[in-house]
Amino acid sequence: MTARWYRSGAIYSLDVRLFQDSNGDGIGDFAGLTSRLDHLSRLGISILWLGPIHPTPFRDGGYDVADYYAVDPSLGTLGDFAELMAECDERGIRVMLDLVLNHTSDEHPWFQAARSDRRSPYRDWYVWSDDEPPNRNEGMVFPGVQESTWTYDDTAGAWYHHRFYSFQPDLNVLNPHVRSEMKKILTFWERLGVSGFRLDGAPFLIEKTTADGAAGRAHGFLVELRDRLSWLRGDAVFLAEAHVPDDELLEFFGDADGAASRVHMLFAFRLNEALMLSLARRDASAIAEALTSLPPLPRNAAWATFLRNHDEVDLSQLTPDERAEVFAAFGPEPEHQLYERGIRRRLTPMLNGDEARVRLAYSLQFTMPGTPVLRYGDEIGMGENLELPERDAIRTPMQWSGTENGGFSTAPEDRLLRPLVDAPPYGFKEVNVTDQRLVPDSMLMWFDRMLHTLRECEEIGAGSHRVIDGTPAPVLAHVAEGSTGVILFVHNLTDSPQCVELDDVPVEEQPPVEVFSDHPYDSELDPTRLEVGPYGFRWIRLRRSHGPAPG
Ligand code: NOJ
Ligand code: CA
């Protein structure tokens, strides 16, 4: 055993509400998703990450949970969920759930009880202050739409803390009853068969906030959660969302070998920002620098890499000048931007619909250390709808076909949860699964090939990566090496062909084999001297080890 399941293959992220409606009410549901699993299976997806599925007033895409032990009725019943799980199992697809424990919805019965009675056992499940906290206008995660992190509640007669929107009161992680309840939530969903959880807002979840301010993070609580997770199911994992600087990031992994293990995977936010910067500049140095300086991971830990997710492109770790460069290249108009904090667009329109460049970008992402995450619809190059508010612009229904409502739903158009993108060039008539299936060189079929190649390249997720120096500025050359072999990757970020000399490529006895590329290159393959076409990429296997892997 070398790669663990979460370090090989790819994660597909989707919101059930936006994928496939089965009963014509305009909202995607479990039965609809189940009926589309063959699309994912054929695409070569091995892990599904479902956005929040719990009952919710849906004021923040479901990240405002009103009951952790149920599914939102608009998605179906728990029985439908169980059926989805069974069908995923049949296809060897693992399921991970979004777990939003930092806060609840203000409609959650715990908050209702807490606000209406000071003596309620639930009062202390949230974070209160009788006096106006002096720091109440600091630490907003959503500047622009969120004015403060403390709000006065008339019913409660006190101020409550919320890192995110005011309708998302933070739970008090210092309260032992809250901690036990959170573990119970893990137990419940693990018993229903999920393989892991995305820990939403992990740094805030473990923040020790009181009325006097934040007093550091309770990392020990991650150890407690991890103990419960792994006790129930040895191979279950946590994937934490923690957009913090590197020195704080490693704290989330903990000591992978010892008694203090925490999460298994973290999203590679800094790498994402470097990818965006390099793509914008058509210069590989930002990625090379990020790759070289990524902190070393504990044994069995892994990055989750991504280009786009369900939120805006977050550029907060770039310098103001770098951020301005990315905005200028990919989100120049005010409507592309979200309160100056990020870009609310899908990748294909960000790259002006240049498919060669989009493929280059995804090839880069998929060869970075870690497990790639792909957002639904990106496999066909979907666009956004900038008329929708905020992040909803990139949360439009999946485009299955050129027929009514893009095959998403049979509901009348005005009853859809959100409108489909219908304007060319990214409307459902132009961009959809059914049409692309029939075209061998479509984006979909290209993703299909890349994802299947990825499954033969365990070194990407489980090996160690090294940048090869000495390439021209627009080219990134890097090598991944693991117990199964060695692969060389070369990417050209410009639209002019490049020629690279790579003296530092490991010399192997086996003949090199090109396993994936933007187009067929010369059959005479010399890994020390390579051509790479406009926006070209080459995956060259230098060695395949056939013996038993150690460990
Ligand atoms: C992070 C999620 O990615 C985002 O979509 C959500 O709004 C916040 N957490 C609040 O839960
Ligand atoms: Ca439905």
Side-chain angles (χ1 to χ4, degrees):
M1 292 240 299
T2 47
R4 306 287 186 255
W5 65 265
Y6 57 92
R7 297 197 306 181
S8 60
I11 302 177
Y12 190 88
S13 111
L14 64 83
D15 184 336
V16 181
R17 291 172 182 76
L18 297 167
F19 207 58
Q20 177 67 61
D21 174 18
S22 73
N23 61 352
D25 65 356
I27 306 174
D29 43 50
F30 293 126
L33 168 55
T34 305
S35 75
R36 292 295 191 181
L37 286 179
D38 288 330
H39 166 72
L40 302 179
S41 194
R42 180 167 170 190
L43 188 57
I45 293 302
S46 50
I47 306 162
L48 254 187
W49 150 28
L50 304 183
I53 58 171
H54 308 302
T56 172
F58 203 57
R59 297 177 67 190
D60 178 19
Y63 288 90
D64 44 339
V65 175
D67 179 359
Y68 292 94
Y69 298 107
V71 295
D72 194 84
S74 62
L75 307 181
T77 63
L78 262 186
D80 295 326
F81 176 77
E83 251 175 2
L84 167 69
M85 295 300 293
E87 291 293 333
C88 284
D89 247 10
E90 285 286 313
R91 292 165 179 79
I93 296 177
R94 305 251 186 179
V95 176
M96 296 183 74
L97 293 188
D98 229 307
L99 196 59
V100 192
L101 296 178
N102 172 67
H103 46 267
T104 66
S105 156
D106 57 359
E107 291 183 24
H108 196 293
W110 301 337
F111 188 70
Q112 291 303 326
R115 76 177 349 167
S116 39
D117 180 0
R118 271 180 190 261
R119 284 155 314 165
S120 159
Y122 291 105
R123 183 73 168 199
D124 188 53
W125 281 41
Y126 295 87
V127 184
W128 299 98
S129 172
D130 283 334
D131 305 316
E132 178 173 342
N135 56 352
R136 78 179 186 90
N137 295 113
E138 291 166 19
M140 281 83 74
V141 180
F142 299 139
V145 271
Q146 188 192 350
E147 277 160 23
S148 66
T149 48
W150 290 85
T151 293
Y152 186 76
D153 185 55
D154 283 333
T155 317
W159 299 78
Y160 65 91
H161 178 58
H162 54 89
R163 265 301 192 157
F164 297 88
Y165 291 111
S166 58
F167 54 81
Q168 292 165 316
D170 275 36
L171 282 164
N172 177 12
V173 79
L174 298 176
N175 179 315
H177 298 289
V178 170
R179 293 183 180 218
S180 331
E181 189 72 32
M182 288 180 178
K183 289 181 225 162
K184 205 188 284 182
I185 295 167
L186 281 184
T187 307
F188 182 80
W189 293 102
E190 278 195 271
R191 282 293 181 212
L192 290 184
V194 311
S195 291
F197 301 93
R198 168 186 179 274
L199 285 182
D200 183 69
F204 307 120
L205 165 64
I206 58 171
E207 200 169 54
K208 297 190 268 187
T209 306
T210 63
D212 303 328
R217 296 188 186 128
H219 288 108
F221 182 47
L222 288 180
V223 178
E224 280 179 44
L225 284 179
R226 167 66 185 268
D227 278 353
R228 173 65 68 96
L229 177 90
S230 302
W231 171 248
L232 290 169
R233 180 169 176 152
D235 66 352
V237 306
F238 280 136
L239 162 57
E241 182 211 22
H243 196 172
V244 295
D246 284 2
D247 52 332
E248 295 171 39
L249 208 55
L250 288 182
E251 295 281 335
F252 287 85
F253 285 119
D255 165 13
D257 292 329
S261 306
R262 296 167 191 169
V263 310
H264 306 69
M265 303 181 85
L266 282 165
F267 287 103
F269 277 100
R270 189 161 67 82
L271 189 59
N272 171 261
E273 295 178 48
L275 282 163
M276 288 298 164
L277 184 60
S278 270
L279 286 166
R281 289 179 169 166
R282 296 177 156 89
D283 178 320
S285 48
I287 308 176
E289 207 275 317
L291 263 182
T292 313
S293 62
L294 277 180
L297 298 188
R299 203 165 63 94
N300 291 331
W303 299 110
T305 65
F306 60 100
L307 281 175
R308 293 297 294 110
N309 57 20
H310 62 293
D311 290 327
E312 73 280 11
V313 181
D314 185 335
L315 303 167
S316 53
Q317 291 197 65
L318 298 182
T319 65
D321 286 348
E322 291 169 341
R323 203 173 308 136
E325 281 181 72
V326 180
F327 273 124
F330 298 146
E333 303 301 329
E335 60 175 359
H336 296 148
Q337 302 170 10
L338 200 60
Y339 311 107
E340 292 167 22
R341 74 170 196 252
I343 302 176
R344 54 182 207 123
R345 304 186 76 188
R346 287 222 184 218
L347 192 80
T348 303
M350 277 169 58
L351 300 179
N352 289 324
D354 184 339
E355 276 202 23
R357 203 171 173 208
V358 174
R359 292 178 193 197
L360 163 86
Y362 279 108
S363 171
L364 262 172
Q365 182 214 333
F366 275 59
T367 57
M368 292 288 112
T371 308
V373 182
L374 181 65
R375 179 81 181 143
Y376 81 92
D378 284 348
E379 73 272 41
I380 51 173
M382 271 171 57
E384 67 265 346
N385 177 353
L386 295 169
E387 282 169 16
L388 296 177
E390 285 200 39
R391 292 165 291 171
D392 290 356
I394 49 157
R395 299 174 178 178
T396 58
M398 180 67 177
Q399 298 173 190
W400 294 105
S401 67
T403 59
E404 197 192 350
N405 294 333
F408 163 68
S409 171
T410 55
E413 209 183 315
D414 59 356
R415 288 200 43 213
L416 300 180
L417 177 68
R418 277 186 206 125
L420 276 104
V421 175
D422 60 2
Y426 302 109
F428 62 87
K429 294 206 171 68
E430 294 79 29
V431 175
N432 65 65
V433 171
T434 309
D435 291 351
Q436 291 195 19
R437 275 273 169 235
L438 300 174
V439 180
D441 196 36
S442 65
M443 186 81 94
L444 177 63
M445 298 309 278
W446 178 80
F447 261 109
D448 206 308
R449 286 193 294 280
M450 179 170 68
L451 279 157
H452 283 85
T453 311
L454 179 81
R455 296 187 99 164
E456 291 183 338
C457 299
E458 224 170 88
E459 298 84 355
I460 293 177
S464 57
H465 291 235
R466 176 169 69 87
V467 174
I468 309 248
D469 294 327
T471 52
V475 176
L476 180 79
H478 72 289
V479 163
E481 176 159 14
S483 58
T484 45
V486 183
I487 314 180
L488 165 70
F489 305 101
V490 184
H491 289 89
N492 174 9
L493 276 69
T494 60
D495 57 1
S496 53
Q498 304 285 327
C499 208
V500 292
E501 297 200 10
L502 303 172
D503 299 334
D504 195 18
V505 161
V507 180
E508 300 289 342
E509 280 171 15
Q510 298 172 10
V513 182
E514 183 121 39
V515 291
F516 193 59
S517 60
D518 60 299
H519 73 273
Y521 286 88
D522 256 0
S523 48
E524 282 297 305
L525 191 54
D526 173 3
T528 63
R529 272 190 72 81
L530 291 168
E531 250 181 78
V532 52
Y535 298 129
F537 49 84
R538 306 183 67 170
W539 301 18
I540 298 169
R541 178 168 281 290
L542 302 177
R543 173 166 33 98
R544 159 69 78 197
S545 307
H546 298 288

